Amino acid sequence: MSLFRDRITRTDHQAPKGTVLYGRWQLRPGDRPVFLNSVRVADGDLLVSDLSRDWRLTGLDGLAGAGTYATGQYPEQIEAGSINAIGCKLSELVDQGAGWFDWLEISPLVPGLAERVAMRPLDIEIGRELCHLEEVCRRPRAHLRVEIERVNVSQSRRIPNNAAAYLAEHTEDWERPTLRSVVPKRILSQVRYDQLDIYENRVCVRLADLILEYLLSRINELRRLEKMFVEASDSTFSVSKGSTWGRARRIYSLWGKSVNANEGLVQVRNTIKKLETYKRRVAGLKDTELYRAIPRRSSVGTSIKMTNILSNDEHYRHVASLWQAYVKLGVNRQQTPSEIYRQYQELFRNIVKFCFLLTARAFSQLGFEPKACDIAIRRGCSLELTGPSGSCFLSWDEEDNFLVQQGCKQVLRIVPLGSSLVQMEEKVLGDLFGELESPSAGLDSTLLLYPSSPEAFSSNKMTTAVSERIHSLKHDLKSSQIAPLGYLPVSPWDLGSVERVARAIRWSLFRPLYASFPLQIKEPQKEFAHFSETKWLAGNGHGFVTLLRPPTEQEMGRFNLSKSVETADNLLQRLEGERDDVTGKLREAVTARSKTEHLNRQKADLTKQISEAQMAKDALESFATKIDESVRVFEALLKCPVCSTGINAPQTPVNLKTGHFECECPSCLSKWGNRICGHCHKSYPVIVLKASDEVANLSPFDWVDRSFGQDVFATPCKDSLGNWTYICPECNHCT
């Protein structure tokens, strides 16, 4: 039995192969006692490292494997903390057996926004006690240290007992001799020094370092919140700023359940201003004599000893109070290997729940709802969803992947990962691309979701090409090599996470519908061929008809397929009745020993007619079913993908050869339909927003998500002349 399971490629191995990613390798020890980093492994646990990025797997027969994680695997602390906070709420729902709509009540944004932007207890404590820390650093207490040194006579204050003997032996310290004595130039003297390197001062200096580190982290968190507030404010979401009204409306809805953006922006800026002031004051303490006097390597335990000075001094006792307030955060507490192991396992489970929350919200945003609302959301569940593209199934499998099926076909597989790809080295990512994007990997229609915030992209040193690669769906890149899978970053700190996932799901579900155009249906028997003469159906002369538009109620009434099916059924029953009569007469003739040749011939003719009538009825029923299915598909595609307004017919009729058609929404003036690639001449779906020409590129790799969000099929691009066009998903050319 293989010990390792690759969640991405769905293959089993005896040892990890290729790049070891956080969340990629699942352990399957079964009943075997296996230990990872000295901790007993449970079935389904992940391959994780210790704090030094090393992992070591052992069993009863000795070493089973060892290795090292690549740099930058784990999410930042601030990222992991927010995901864990959301995961905690979702875990409660899992334990309660909560359903779809209960999950949708949980916001995918950073929890506790109002509390985060306000001054925390430690922030207030720093502001209250900082003056005492400054006073201690500028006027510290010290121990006196007395040393014997050779000094000029003018500098001597107290002479030790052996000063005369030393002077008699060292004539170089004489100024001149006299008849009775010596006039000294230098002499031994007791020199007093203040010893600043005492325990209480070490506490003060180390506290200054810890407070500065805390303030930097806190200000970084608030800067991210400020960016979110700015992005959610009215001024940012004007089209001139680079976003469309549809995306802005959805962001307003998502954000409005968290906190008022304008009030939050004012509050977060006030908090940043105060903490920036504290940071400058604490940083200024590094220039004091006390800070320079304490060795950098001198350490102080988490729990300080309350000496007389720390307990009773006017200023030092406030420093001790500030230290204790900081220690309550538990930042510097040493963790055991078991705690580290469980922390990484729990973090990944929370990442999986967070990704499912994004997936559920993306489906809801696209207009999908479950048929059964009481199904508990947890690993192993499967839900049937109905929406604009019809019905589909969303499943959460035992490997923590999310499968989207339409009919009998899997159209999308979402794989949550724990590794923050944006923090990894380009060489490691290059090896990963080579492994996963080879044809033998079999990862078509796979989407990798990994935790990473927008700030991580802005601060990394990757080339633009690699940044685009790990921030795109498989049809987004202009390249001759079409990648089989997509990579998307998600984060509670990013307002666009749901939009990205919704864009991927929309493409996977709607692409097959648009590819089915023109909707061709096999014609029934000749006696029903007059149906193809309607205005909303057109024959191609080869036994098929094409649906040009959905029929109106009056046209469907005149079409009257049900009556035709009923007529065919009546004909079939009449012929079967006649055959039964002939069969009875034939039985009587056989009994009477009369001639049966005519009756046998009549029965054979009726059997042939019954067979033809049955075939005609089946063809007509199939035709009616296909008409109904095609009408439903066409009606779904005639709903505006941006605002859901329905129209009666395409603005540009369906091209019977290429499948090209175009619709225009009377409400938002968006256009959508099929276009033909000028390079490979294949059709692909597009959405043309009214404001497309006014949208500016925000960054080389994420401008589509931040401009259009889910309101896009094929990825927009600009040709060599600067005109808007699209990247063909078949050949990846901008045509």
Side-chain angles (χ1 to χ4, degrees):
M1 180 180 176
S2 299
L3 182 58
F4 293 89
R5 174 71 173 178
D6 189 342
R7 294 181 53 252
I8 300 179
T9 62
R10 294 172 288 185
T11 53
D12 295 322
H13 303 271
Q14 289 297 336
K17 293 184 178 180
T19 307
V20 179
L21 296 177
Y22 175 40
R24 177 177 181 179
W25 294 98
Q26 207 172 41
L27 297 170
R28 302 283 183 84
D31 297 330
R32 293 175 290 176
V34 176
F35 297 85
L36 176 60
N37 306 331
S38 305
V39 182
R40 177 72 180 264
V41 175
D43 209 43
D45 280 358
L46 295 172
L47 180 65
V48 297
S49 71
D50 55 22
L51 291 180
S52 61
R53 298 189 293 109
D54 296 324
W55 60 270
R56 183 181 179 86
L57 198 68
T58 55
L60 291 179
D61 52 352
L63 183 66
T68 302
Y69 263 35
T71 305
Q73 286 270 9
Y74 297 107
E76 297 175 316
Q77 184 177 357
I78 189 173
E79 192 85 25
S82 56
I83 291 176
N84 280 332
I86 295 175
C88 240
K89 297 181 180 179
L90 297 176
S91 296
E92 291 178 4
L93 295 183
V94 171
D95 294 339
Q96 296 167 7
W100 178 268
F101 292 105
D102 295 317
W103 275 63
L104 295 183
E105 289 297 317
I106 304 297
S107 172
L109 300 181
V110 183
L113 286 174
E115 293 78 11
R116 288 175 183 267
V117 300
M119 293 286 286
R120 291 179 177 174
L122 181 57
D123 302 338
I124 298 172
E125 187 76 9
I126 291 173
R128 183 167 55 244
E129 309 290 10
L130 184 55
C131 60
H132 298 283
L133 182 61
E134 290 175 316
E135 183 65 23
V136 167
C137 288
R138 291 188 171 90
R139 296 178 180 84
R141 283 209 177 203
H143 288 175
L144 289 179
R145 186 180 77 250
V146 179
E147 294 185 1
I148 307 298
E149 295 183 3
R150 291 167 61 200
V151 299
N152 292 329
V153 174
S154 61
Q155 297 175 341
S156 177
R157 294 294 179 268
R158 180 171 293 184
I159 299 174
N161 294 332
N162 63 337
Y166 180 86
L167 181 62
E169 295 175 356
H170 293 79
T171 57
E172 69 274 10
D173 290 337
W174 296 1
E175 181 69 31
R176 67 181 184 278
T178 64
L179 292 176
R180 294 183 178 181
S181 63
V182 173
V183 177
K185 178 171 60 176
R186 290 180 294 271
I187 193 170
L188 289 183
S189 178
Q190 293 180 355
V191 181
R192 295 183 178 185
Y193 290 98
D194 288 336
Q195 183 180 353
L196 296 177
D197 188 12
I198 61 176
Y199 177 75
E200 292 81 356
N201 289 339
R202 289 183 181 183
V203 170
C204 296
V205 170
R206 294 289 80 86
L207 179 61
D209 290 335
L210 295 173
I211 292 298
L212 183 59
E213 182 182 347
Y214 166 78
L215 289 173
L216 289 172
S217 174
R218 179 85 170 103
I219 291 171
N220 178 40
E221 176 186 6
L222 292 171
R223 291 290 184 197
R224 291 191 180 191
L225 287 172
E226 181 186 24
K227 185 175 180 181
M228 291 179 67
F229 282 117
V230 170
E231 189 175 357
S233 64
D234 295 341
S235 59
T236 301
F237 276 114
S238 61
V239 171
S240 62
K241 293 289 184 179
S243 183
T244 60
W245 73 269
R247 182 179 183 273
R249 175 176 52 83
R250 292 188 296 271
I251 295 296
Y252 295 152
S253 175
L254 176 64
W255 184 264
K257 298 178 180 179
S258 301
V259 72
N260 183 287
N262 294 325
E263 292 179 3
L265 184 59
V266 173
Q267 190 174 9
V268 74
R269 284 177 173 170
N270 289 336
T271 305
I272 290 174
K273 185 178 179 181
K274 291 179 181 179
L275 296 186
E276 285 282 3
T277 303
Y278 298 161
K279 186 194 76 172
R280 287 192 295 270
R281 290 170 63 184
V282 175
L285 299 180
K286 291 189 173 185
D287 292 329
T288 61
E289 182 184 0
L290 175 62
Y291 191 91
R292 292 193 295 267
I294 303 299
R296 292 291 300 166
R297 294 187 178 182
S298 63
S299 61
V300 179
T302 303
S303 178
I304 60 174
K305 296 178 290 184
M306 293 303 294
T307 63
N308 287 336
I309 295 177
L310 290 175
S311 299
N312 302 316
D313 185 88
E314 178 183 2
H315 299 293
Y316 279 87
R317 60 190 179 89
H318 290 281
V319 172
S321 174
L322 182 56
W323 179 282
Q324 290 166 354
Y326 175 81
V327 167
K328 287 180 181 179
L329 294 176
V331 177
N332 290 333
R333 192 178 69 83
Q334 291 291 329
Q335 293 179 300
T336 65
S338 176
E339 289 175 331
I340 296 168
Y341 181 85
R342 292 188 179 89
Q343 173 185 311
Y344 287 150
Q345 299 293 340
E346 184 64 23
L347 173 59
F348 181 75
R349 285 191 285 268
N350 289 332
I351 290 173
V352 171
K353 296 186 187 81
F354 174 66
C355 289
F356 190 88
L357 174 63
L358 294 178
T359 303
R361 278 189 163 268
F363 270 105
S364 177
Q365 204 163 270
L366 291 171
F368 286 83
E369 290 187 353
K371 278 192 172 181
C373 303
D374 56 346
I375 296 178
I377 305 298
R378 56 167 56 98
R379 179 192 285 182
C381 71
S382 181
L383 302 99
E384 183 178 2
L385 306 175
T386 57
S389 65
S391 64
C392 65
F393 286 89
L394 172 63
S395 305
W396 181 349
D397 70 11
E398 294 300 325
E399 295 178 8
D400 287 327
N401 300 326
F402 313 137
L403 311 179
V404 181
Q405 291 180 295
Q406 202 169 37
C408 298
K409 184 180 180 183
Q410 178 181 298
V411 296
L412 182 64
R413 185 171 72 101
I414 299 175
V415 182
L417 284 180
S419 292
S420 182
L421 302 184
V422 70
Q423 301 181 60
M424 297 172 63
E425 298 177 356
E426 283 198 29
K427 182 181 182 303
V428 177
L429 289 176
D431 296 339
L432 178 66
F433 296 150
E435 296 169 28
L436 301 184
E437 297 179 5
S438 64
S440 60
L443 297 181
D444 193 28
S445 302
T446 299
L447 173 64
L448 303 183
L449 298 183
Y450 63 93
S452 183
S453 63
E455 286 73 19
F457 274 91
S458 59
S459 62
N460 71 34
K461 298 180 181 179
M462 290 182 181
T463 60
T464 302
V466 175
S467 294
E468 287 180 348
R469 192 77 163 270
I470 60 175
H471 197 297
S472 62
L473 300 178
K474 66 177 185 178
H475 61 277
D476 285 344
L477 301 176
K478 290 184 284 186
S479 169
S480 58
Q481 180 68 33
I482 302 177
L485 73 165
Y487 309 82
L488 288 182
V490 293
S491 170
W493 296 89
D494 190 354
L495 294 176
S497 294
V498 176
E499 293 285 320
R500 291 192 192 98
V501 178
R503 181 166 77 92
I505 293 173
R506 165 171 271 173
W507 175 260
S508 300
L509 292 178
F510 282 84
R511 168 64 171 152
L513 298 184
Y514 282 83
S516 65
F517 269 72
L519 296 170
Q520 294 186 339
I521 309 161
K522 187 176 181 181
E523 286 183 320
Q525 299 292 337
K526 292 184 179 180
E527 54 265 32
F528 303 108
H530 64 277
F531 288 147
S532 63
E533 298 173 1
T534 60
K535 294 181 180 180
W536 50 279
L537 284 175
N540 64 357
H542 300 287
F544 289 88
V545 294
T546 301
L547 189 66
L548 302 178
R549 60 173 174 81
T552 63
E553 290 185 6
Q554 293 80 6
E555 288 174 329
M556 203 64 180
R558 290 194 297 270
F559 197 65
N560 208 357
L561 270 177
S562 58
K563 184 177 180 181
S564 302
V565 172
E566 184 181 353
T567 302
D569 186 59
N570 291 337
L571 174 62
L572 180 61
Q573 292 181 11
R574 181 176 63 80
L575 292 174
E576 288 176 342
E578 292 180 1
R579 186 178 64 177
D580 291 342
D581 292 341
V582 171
T583 301
K585 293 179 181 179
L586 184 60
R587 190 178 297 109
E588 292 175 358
V590 170
T591 304
R593 298 182 181 274
S594 58
K595 293 183 178 180
T596 59
E597 181 179 354
H598 173 69
L599 292 173
N600 283 330
R601 188 165 51 250
Q602 189 176 1
K603 182 178 179 181
D605 290 341
L606 287 171
T607 300
K608 182 178 179 181
Q609 292 178 38
I610 288 172
S611 177
E612 292 174 352
Q614 184 66 54
M615 291 176 61
K617 178 189 173 185
D618 293 343
L620 191 58
E621 287 178 340
S622 175
F623 182 70
T625 301
K626 292 293 179 62
I627 285 288
D628 290 339
E629 291 176 357
S630 299
V631 168
R632 282 197 297 271
V633 171
F634 216 138
E635 286 176 345
L637 299 186
L638 289 180
K639 283 188 177 180
C640 175
V642 178
C643 67
S644 299
T645 301
I647 61 175
N648 296 324
Q651 183 185 26
T652 302
V654 179
N655 187 305
L656 300 184
K657 292 184 178 180
T658 64
H660 173 268
F661 73 96
E662 187 174 277
C663 306
E664 182 172 1
C665 177
S667 298
C668 65
L669 303 182
S670 299
K671 296 181 180 180
W672 71 97
N674 270 344
R675 287 196 176 182
I676 307 302
C677 174
H679 183 264
C680 66
H681 307 294
K682 294 182 179 179
S683 67
Y684 59 88
V686 299
I687 298 177
V688 185
L689 300 178
K690 179 180 181 293
S692 291
D693 292 337
E694 302 175 30
V695 173
N697 289 19
L698 299 179
S699 72
F701 51 84
D702 68 345
W703 74 272
V704 172
D705 287 321
R706 298 202 172 277
S707 297
F708 301 102
Q710 69 181 42
D711 298 331
V712 67
F713 283 141
T715 306
C717 61
K718 285 191 175 182
D719 60 18
S720 56
L721 301 177
N723 299 319
W724 280 105
T725 182
Y726 296 88
I727 299 175
C728 173
E730 300 294 336
C731 64
N732 280 40
H733 281 79
C734 186
T735 58

